[in-house]
Amino acid sequence: MDFKLFKEMLKRTLLVTFTAAVLACQASPKPQQLVKGVSNIVPDERQSLVVKEVVGLIENYNYKKIKLNDSISSLILDKYIKDLDPYKYYFLASDIKDFEQFRNTLDDDFRNGDLSAPFYIFNVYLKRYNEWLAYTLTQVKSKYDFNQDDTYVFDREKMPWITSPVELNDVWKKKVKYDLVNLKIAGTTPAKNVETLTKRYENLKSQAAKVNNQDVFQTIMDAFTETIDPHTNYFNPVNAQQFNEDMARSFEGIGARLKLENDILKIDEIIPGGPAFKSKLLSSGDRIVGVAQGSGEFEDIIGWRIDNSVSKIKGPKGTKVRLKIIPVGRELSSKPVIIELTRERIVMEDQSAKKSVKTIQSEGQSYKIGIIRVPAFYADFKAANAGDPNYKSTTRDVRLLIDTLKNKDKVDAIVMDLRANGGGSLVEAIDLTGLFIDKGPVVQVKDIKNNIEVSEDTNSGVAWSGPFGVMVDRLSASASEIFAGAIQDYGRGIVMGTQTYGKGTVQSSIDLNRLVNPSILQRIAALVSKDAKTTIKTVNGKEGAPVQLGQINLTMAKFYRVTGSSTQHKGVMPDIQFPSLYPLNKIGEDTEPSALPWDEVQKSNFKVVADLNPLKPELLKLHEARMANSLDYKTLEQDIADVKKREGEVSITLNETKLKAERDSLEAKSLARINQLRVSKGLAPVKKGDKIKKEETFDFIEDESLQIMADLMRFTNPNKAELVKVKAGFN
């Protein structure tokens, strides 16, 4: 849901701005408890303001209509501690006992903008983490007996907190031994293993030293908001920008993916079509050691956090950036090459909808089927609102793909692959459904006042009127479930896969700067700038501009299918089900303790396109007959069984011989299965370590889904003539 729609909802709920005098009336925060032996990280005024605003938004406009109290405070504390130390590697029992003083006070603290307690907890965590790094670095060169029958407990979640530093040191020492035995089994020399592990731990130490108060605040807010519900999330300014770029499938910059390697920013990939690609001045592996804006002075970025470096390189299209580059293959001490690039808007095509075409044989007939892979429901709202006629969106991309599949590829059917599609824009889910149905309701939305709004496809006509299928899995969520549910409810196609995630809630993305008086932002900017001894800048780097507060995705409504059933918790149940690659008891909305329940509303006024229900038992019968003789299916079931068998494991042997034997056995078993499948498909077997070509990989779920589509076409269209008319037929 975009901000425009959010503002309309706020009008209906009579929102009153509650930040006009926030600085004047705020309570004085408690003094920050300091932790000895660590550089204490402390909150700033903008974070104080943000947490107060988020409390107000949650208490007044979250769908749960929940008020923060001592019970919520207790849950937040437990969630925060678990997020920091899920497997009990760092905190001592005495630390946990110390944190009990905050169990019933976080609700009042957050309401007052007081973050001293969770920052104190984080500083204790940071101290323990640094102690772990210091200790492990002293243990790397120790002599270890890899023939000893000891074990390393890697999952201590259900075990008690460790009471003494000596016992904690023993856990850490076994972690070092585990890292070393893994390297030893890989075949490298002891000296090389010590060098590798030392560098690894020193790199972790370097990264820990770069943690700032925005990182800490993000962790605190994650624990806070996810305690309320799994999908109310706060994003600090850097993460908010990344979230919006992911949604838009575009960003403004030089067109390169970057990574940090040993404190040096390195080009990981050049994006085709971007400034870096067109200039031919940069290559994968080049290192960036300095950045300058336009004709300004260079800043040395060696040792910087990657997000800080990236923010210097990105920028508005049309602006210039200069880079100091050490080309790949040259020593870091060599003279840098200076290049200048003009930033552009980069469209991430590899993360957009794509098509492929497969021809299959079924019962003596040949069928050409188009597959459209949609990774998310994305839309570049910024470009759309600016009037860009070529703005990026899922529906626009898919419409073009359908046109090609229909008119150039001449396909007989289309399958939409929504596996691992976690959702995105509600508007795109509705518009995309409209490509396959001719007008009508797509989804119902119930707001915090229990008002129900029916969102419809209002565009006449369809882009594809032929046989249609949808592939889903456990990671298909939110907008994916709206689309798949609507296709199923209208009888417009067959849904194939596993039960979906079950996310049936609506979030509104709210820029917190829009809710706060600009004069307050200016005052906070001055205070933060004074504390940090630096100039506060916006994401775009304009000096003197108001400080950025980030954004919150606030749960404000629930989704319901046109039948009245919620997608919450239950998700969408496919017409033809496959075994789930993902554990249903660990992944899904019904595994989230703070998730909203399933319920129903009244059915909306919609007319089915076709009644496919009489065909489904026959499709299932044919599917099961194939599966009974399918090596792929048998292999899939064996893989799932092996994963379930390993689910309960919490420890691993540190005996080199036993560990290697276990690994070799698993690898041999996996390789045997792979080769059995390859031989069955006419491919040569591979040996251990061989790289399998991309064109030689196979997707059993996709292949069987196409066979199901062929069955559907044989039943509804046996002579490739007009589809059988059931009620209104396929539109």
Side-chain angles (χ1 to χ4, degrees):
M1 192 178 295
D2 60 20
F3 190 77
K4 186 176 181 181
L5 183 54
F6 163 70
K7 287 195 292 186
E8 293 302 317
M9 291 183 71
L10 294 190
K11 287 179 182 177
R12 291 202 298 269
T13 52
L14 302 177
L15 176 67
V16 177
T17 302
F18 43 83
T19 60
V22 66
L23 291 184
C25 65
Q26 71 179 33
S28 298
K30 295 189 290 287
Q32 175 81 48
Q33 294 186 56
L34 298 181
V35 178
K36 293 181 180 179
V38 66
S39 296
N40 283 261
I41 303 173
V42 297
D44 59 39
E45 285 78 3
R46 74 184 132 172
Q47 293 159 353
S48 174
L49 173 59
V50 167
V51 73
K52 291 173 69 174
E53 289 293 325
V54 170
V55 168
L57 287 168
I58 285 174
E59 291 192 329
N60 290 282
Y61 304 107
N62 184 274
Y63 189 85
K64 278 188 172 181
K65 305 172 186 174
I66 196 168
K67 296 293 181 184
L68 265 64
N69 54 28
D70 289 355
S71 296
I72 298 296
S73 173
S74 180
L75 292 173
I76 294 171
L77 179 65
D78 290 337
K79 179 80 167 66
Y80 183 48
I81 292 172
K82 186 174 182 179
D83 287 352
L84 290 175
D85 192 3
Y87 301 115
K88 301 179 180 177
Y89 289 153
Y90 306 112
F91 287 132
L92 291 167
S94 57
D95 297 326
I96 302 303
K97 184 178 180 181
D98 178 31
F99 301 154
E100 282 297 312
Q101 63 181 299
F102 309 121
R103 181 159 297 280
N104 299 320
T105 60
L106 292 179
D107 55 325
D108 297 321
D109 288 347
F110 287 1
R111 192 174 284 108
N112 293 326
D114 188 343
L115 292 161
S116 57
F119 267 82
Y120 166 73
I121 292 172
F122 189 90
N123 288 329
V124 173
Y125 165 76
L126 196 58
K127 178 182 180 180
R128 298 296 181 214
Y129 188 81
N130 286 332
E131 288 172 348
W132 167 68
L133 288 171
Y135 180 78
T136 52
L137 282 167
T138 67
Q139 298 302 305
V140 173
K141 294 181 180 179
S142 297
K143 298 296 182 182
Y144 292 94
D145 180 3
F146 295 110
N147 295 314
Q148 185 180 353
D149 282 329
D150 54 347
T151 58
Y152 168 55
V153 180
F154 57 83
D155 184 351
R156 304 189 69 262
E157 183 179 1
K158 295 181 180 179
M159 298 178 70
W161 293 98
I162 290 173
T163 57
S164 72
V166 173
E167 188 182 351
L168 196 58
N169 284 348
D170 183 61
V171 171
W172 291 344
K173 188 168 185 175
K174 285 185 175 179
K175 172 67 167 66
V176 175
K177 185 176 181 180
Y178 176 66
D179 288 342
L180 284 170
V181 75
N182 276 318
L183 292 170
K184 194 170 187 289
I185 289 173
T188 47
T189 64
K192 182 64 176 177
N193 295 342
V194 168
E195 180 187 347
T196 298
L197 208 53
T198 300
K199 283 183 178 179
R200 184 186 302 173
Y201 293 156
E202 285 177 343
N203 184 55
L204 291 174
K205 186 176 181 180
S206 173
Q207 295 307 309
K210 295 172 186 173
V211 173
N212 60 32
N213 70 352
Q214 281 288 69
D215 300 320
V216 181
F217 185 59
Q218 182 68 67
T219 305
I220 294 166
M221 295 301 288
D222 286 345
F224 171 26
T225 59
E226 289 170 20
T227 297
I228 305 304
D229 81 79
H231 308 293
T232 287
N233 304 114
Y234 167 77
F235 298 101
N236 67 29
V238 171
N239 292 337
Q241 178 174 313
Q242 184 62 53
F243 173 84
N244 293 324
E245 286 174 357
D246 289 343
M247 178 66 77
R249 288 300 187 269
S250 67
F251 65 93
E252 293 179 348
I254 66 170
R257 289 191 175 89
L258 308 170
K259 66 179 181 181
L260 200 64
E261 195 172 276
N262 297 324
D263 281 348
I264 306 295
L265 194 67
K266 191 175 182 180
I267 294 178
D268 190 37
E269 182 185 352
I270 303 293
I271 298 173
F277 178 84
K278 289 186 284 190
S279 74
K280 298 182 180 179
L281 297 173
L282 289 172
S283 302
S284 179
D286 288 350
R287 290 146 294 174
I288 305 174
V289 296
V291 182
Q293 309 303 319
S295 58
E297 295 293 324
F298 272 99
E299 293 181 90
D300 186 326
I301 63 169
I302 293 178
W304 282 26
R305 289 163 49 99
I306 189 169
D307 53 345
N308 291 339
S309 299
V310 168
S311 69
K312 293 287 183 181
I313 296 169
K314 281 183 177 179
K317 63 180 179 180
T319 59
K320 295 183 184 297
V321 62
R322 288 184 298 138
L323 306 174
K324 280 185 179 179
I325 303 294
I326 305 292
V328 60
R330 294 191 190 177
E331 293 296 326
L332 197 61
S333 57
S334 61
K335 185 178 179 181
V337 176
I338 296 177
I339 67 168
E340 181 178 278
L341 297 171
T342 300
R343 299 175 177 109
E344 296 177 10
R345 179 169 167 265
I346 312 298
V347 177
M348 296 180 283
E349 291 292 348
D350 62 329
Q351 297 179 34
S352 304
K354 285 184 172 61
K355 77 171 181 72
S356 60
V357 178
K358 285 191 175 182
T359 300
I360 63 167
Q361 301 294 323
S362 178
E363 299 293 325
Q365 293 193 60
S366 177
Y367 298 95
K368 189 184 282 189
I369 302 176
I371 304 156
I372 300 177
R373 169 84 178 110
V374 178
F377 287 80
Y378 51 87
D380 190 344
F381 293 118
K382 182 179 177 182
N385 293 334
D388 184 347
N390 298 312
Y391 73 90
K392 190 81 174 165
S393 85
T394 302
T395 305
R396 293 163 69 93
D397 289 348
V398 170
R399 186 187 293 275
L400 292 172
L401 295 176
I402 290 173
D403 185 60
T404 303
L405 289 169
K406 183 167 59 175
N407 299 312
K408 182 180 177 182
D409 299 314
K410 306 290 184 182
V411 298
D412 300 305
I414 290 177
V415 171
M416 187 77 73
D417 187 352
L418 298 181
R419 290 176 295 174
N421 182 322
S425 168
L426 170 61
V427 173
E428 287 302 310
I430 296 166
D431 290 347
L432 189 67
T433 305
L435 299 183
F436 302 94
I437 66 167
D438 182 21
K439 287 189 176 183
V442 174
V443 64
Q444 302 184 81
V445 180
K446 183 167 72 172
D447 66 19
I448 58 175
K449 298 185 77 174
N450 294 322
N451 296 318
I452 297 173
E453 182 177 317
V454 180
S455 296
E456 301 191 10
D457 165 43
T458 58
N459 297 316
S460 299
V462 295
W464 175 253
S465 59
F468 186 56
V470 181
M471 296 169 60
V472 295
D473 64 9
R474 188 60 164 175
L475 301 184
S476 304
S478 192
S480 291
E481 295 172 295
I482 292 170
F483 178 84
I487 294 300
Q488 189 178 61
D489 294 339
Y490 271 90
R492 181 57 190 88
I494 294 293
V495 178
M496 303 161 286
T498 57
Q499 181 184 11
T500 59
Y501 192 89
K503 180 188 176 296
T505 54
V506 189
Q507 285 71 44
S508 295
S509 296
I510 306 164
D511 181 350
L512 293 175
N513 281 59
R514 299 196 184 198
L515 300 183
V516 179
N517 190 307
S519 64
I520 293 175
L521 293 177
Q522 291 286 4
R523 292 173 63 187
I524 290 177
L527 290 169
V528 175
S529 178
K530 180 180 178 182
D531 291 344
K533 296 182 175 61
T534 185
T535 303
I536 292 297
K537 300 180 181 180
T538 64
V539 172
N540 291 330
K542 296 177 182 177
E543 295 188 7
V547 65
Q548 296 296 300
L549 303 180
Q551 74 182 44
I552 182 171
N553 286 4
L554 185 68
T555 299
M556 298 182 69
K558 280 181 78 174
F559 292 133
Y560 297 84
R561 294 165 66 159
V562 290
T563 59
S565 174
S566 174
T567 56
Q568 178 67 8
H569 259 261
K570 294 186 178 182
V572 174
M573 195 64 71
D575 301 308
I576 307 295
Q577 294 187 48
F578 290 82
S580 178
L581 294 167
Y582 307 100
L584 300 180
N585 63 329
K586 293 188 175 182
I587 297 174
E589 192 78 1
D590 53 3
T591 68
E592 297 284 355
S594 61
L596 287 159
W598 177 88
D599 64 342
E600 293 180 287
V601 296
Q602 189 174 346
K603 176 182 176 181
S604 63
N605 185 23
F606 76 102
K607 294 181 180 180
V608 297
V609 171
D611 184 4
L612 297 178
N613 289 319
L615 299 178
K616 292 176 184 178
E618 193 62 32
L619 293 175
L620 181 60
K621 182 179 176 181
L622 291 170
H623 163 67
E624 290 176 342
R626 281 191 297 271
M627 296 305 94
N629 300 305
S630 170
L631 180 60
D632 295 85
Y633 189 77
K634 181 182 177 182
T635 301
L636 175 62
E637 289 189 313
Q638 288 174 338
D639 288 342
I640 292 171
D642 286 348
V643 169
K644 285 184 177 179
K645 185 179 178 181
R646 294 195 295 269
E647 268 182 17
E649 295 178 358
V650 298
S651 64
I652 193 165
T653 181
L654 293 177
N655 181 290
E656 180 187 357
T657 303
K658 290 182 179 180
L659 184 60
K660 187 176 187 303
E662 288 177 10
R663 297 267 173 85
D664 289 345
S665 175
L666 288 172
E667 286 183 10
K669 190 175 181 181
S670 176
L671 185 63
R673 286 181 188 173
I674 289 170
N675 281 331
Q676 194 176 14
L677 285 172
R678 287 177 64 84
V679 170
S680 72
K681 298 178 186 299
L683 297 171
V686 293
K687 298 188 293 294
K688 180 181 177 180
D690 284 354
K691 188 174 182 181
I692 297 174
K693 298 175 183 177
K694 186 177 181 182
E695 59 270 21
E696 291 182 348
T697 59
F698 33 87
D699 184 343
F700 160 67
I701 303 295
E702 180 183 284
D703 292 343
E704 174 56 19
S705 296
L706 300 187
Q707 290 293 332
I708 294 168
M709 290 302 298
D711 293 339
L712 175 65
M713 285 186 279
R714 284 192 293 107
F715 287 136
T716 57
N717 188 14
N719 299 313
K720 292 192 177 181
E722 184 180 5
L723 287 170
V724 171
K725 296 288 185 181
V726 185
K727 293 191 177 179
F730 283 101
N731 261 338

